[in-house]
Amino acid sequence: LALAGLLAIIAFPFEPLLVSAGQVRATVITRLSAIVVFFAAFYLLGTRYGLIGAGIATAINAGVTTLLFYLFGHPILKARERQPCALPS
């Protein structure tokens, strides 16, 4: 569960980034994909390993969420890096 918390902290800035960049669809795809993976992992690991399996499923969910947010958000950050920053006068 600590790993899942750490991954949630890493992924935190990507969801608002995607929403503010108009990529709401990417956030919905990420959340839906992660929850489907979570339920599959929870069923498989939870029935076999109990609470330990549930914790592992939570970590897998956080990993999928972080990975997908990164894959969707990284190109936006890279495009922003290439644009010159206009300072207010």
Side-chain angles (χ1 to χ4, degrees):
L1 289 178
L3 175 62
L6 175 65
L7 291 173
I9 290 170
I10 292 170
F12 169 73
F14 283 107
E15 188 168 13
L17 168 75
L18 290 169
V19 170
S20 64
Q23 299 292 325
V24 176
R25 177 181 235 168
T27 62
V28 172
I29 289 169
T30 297
R31 293 293 182 186
L32 284 176
S33 300
I35 201 70
V36 167
V37 169
F38 171 72
F39 281 131
F42 182 76
Y43 177 75
L44 294 172
L45 297 171
T47 55
R48 183 169 175 112
Y49 300 108
L51 290 177
I52 300 293
I56 294 169
T58 303
I60 291 170
N61 176 26
V64 169
T65 302
T66 302
L67 177 66
L68 290 176
F69 274 148
Y70 177 79
L71 291 176
F72 284 123
H74 187 68
I76 296 169
L77 290 175
K78 281 300 199 186
R80 183 77 175 144
E81 264 181 18
R82 289 188 291 265
Q83 294 176 354
C85 184
L87 297 174
S89 44

